[in-house]
Amino acid sequence: MYLKANKQAEKSLGGGWRFFQQKSKLQKASYYEEVKSWAKAGAAYIKHAHCRKSKTTTSTDGDYEAALHYVDAAQCYKKEAIACLEQAATSFCEMGLNGSAALRYQEIAEMYESLLDFEKAEEFFGKAAELFTEPMSRDRSKRRAAGCANDY
């Protein structure tokens, strides 16, 4: 499975990968995170994880490092997903589809919760609560926002 992910990582990085040939794969991933290029950062972490796994076949240290880099990649892809969902929510709002926008904001808030960014989670639960028209959904989002406020 990670071979397929590695191929996708190579394809995703394209020509930008050659620009960094002299740097380590981990430095590349960090750079892409700094510039908020989440898909490229995720792809670089996958590539680094693959290299760690293939270089240290007898050591559990390499496997552990590889696993951590797969987690890093997943976090980057979550951030990429958040950006896409936020665009979708904005489009739904512009079309007057507030219920659909509220669901996307709630999904974003839950992703921020999983990233332990409770301030952002509270913000997006609040946005969802503002847009929900059903009292039960609105109250649930308000309670979740209040819970996030207590966590940070």
Side-chain angles (χ1 to χ4, degrees), residues 1 116 151:
M1 174 152 166
L116 304 178
D151 287 340

Side-chain angles (χ1 to χ4, degrees), residues 110-128:
E110 290 167 354
M111 291 177 118
Y112 275 124
E113 263 187 327
S114 74
L115 292 168
L116 304 178
D117 189 340
F118 298 112
E119 190 172 344
K120 284 285 197 181
E122 178 188 20
E123 175 188 337
F124 282 95
F125 277 127
K127 286 182 177 187

Side-chain angles (χ1 to χ4, degrees), residues 52-53 56 59-71:
R52 293 299 305 155
K53 197 157 182 67
T56 55
S59 169
T60 56
D61 290 343
D63 289 342
Y64 182 75
E65 276 188 51
L68 289 177
H69 292 307
Y70 285 125
V71 170

Side-chain angles (χ1 to χ4, degrees), residues 1 3 5-6 17 55 110 115-116 131 133 147:
M1 174 152 166
L3 289 175
N6 187 45
W17 191 256
K55 283 183 181 175
E110 290 167 354
L115 292 168
L116 304 178
L131 293 175
T133 55

Side-chain angles (χ1 to χ4, degrees), residues 4 25 56 73 81 121 126 129 132 140:
K4 183 178 179 183
K25 290 168 186 63
T56 55
F132 275 124
R140 184 179 50 209

Side-chain angles (χ1 to χ4, degrees), residues 5-130:
N6 187 45
K7 284 182 182 180
Q8 285 179 313
E10 272 294 332
K11 188 176 179 180
S12 171
L13 291 170
W17 191 256
R18 285 186 293 275
F19 174 77
F20 293 108
Q21 281 181 335
Q22 69 277 10
K23 296 189 178 217
S24 79
K25 290 168 186 63
L26 196 53
Q27 286 174 319
K28 294 171 196 173
S30 295
Y31 168 78
Y32 286 129
E33 274 193 279
E34 281 179 36
V35 297
K36 298 186 186 321
S37 182
W38 303 118
K40 287 183 178 183
Y45 278 122
I46 288 171
K47 182 128 179 91
H48 184 68
H50 174 67
C51 288
R52 293 299 305 155
K53 197 157 182 67
S54 64
K55 283 183 181 175
T56 55
T57 54
T58 59
S59 169
T60 56
D61 290 343
D63 289 342
Y64 182 75
E65 276 188 51
L68 289 177
H69 292 307
Y70 285 125
V71 170
D72 292 336
Q75 302 295 1
C76 290
Y77 288 129
K78 274 186 188 177
K79 291 174 183 174
E80 181 76 11
I82 287 170
C84 293
L85 288 169
E86 200 164 356
Q87 286 292 78
T90 300
S91 295
F92 285 136
C93 281
E94 290 169 355
M95 292 184 283
L97 300 171
N98 291 347
S100 295
L103 289 171
R104 297 303 69 84
Y105 283 139
Q106 186 171 326
E107 195 173 346
I108 291 168
E110 290 167 354
M111 291 177 118
Y112 275 124
E113 263 187 327
S114 74
L115 292 168
L116 304 178
D117 189 340
F118 298 112
E119 190 172 344
K120 284 285 197 181
E122 178 188 20
E123 175 188 337
F124 282 95
F125 277 127
K127 286 182 177 187
E130 289 173 14

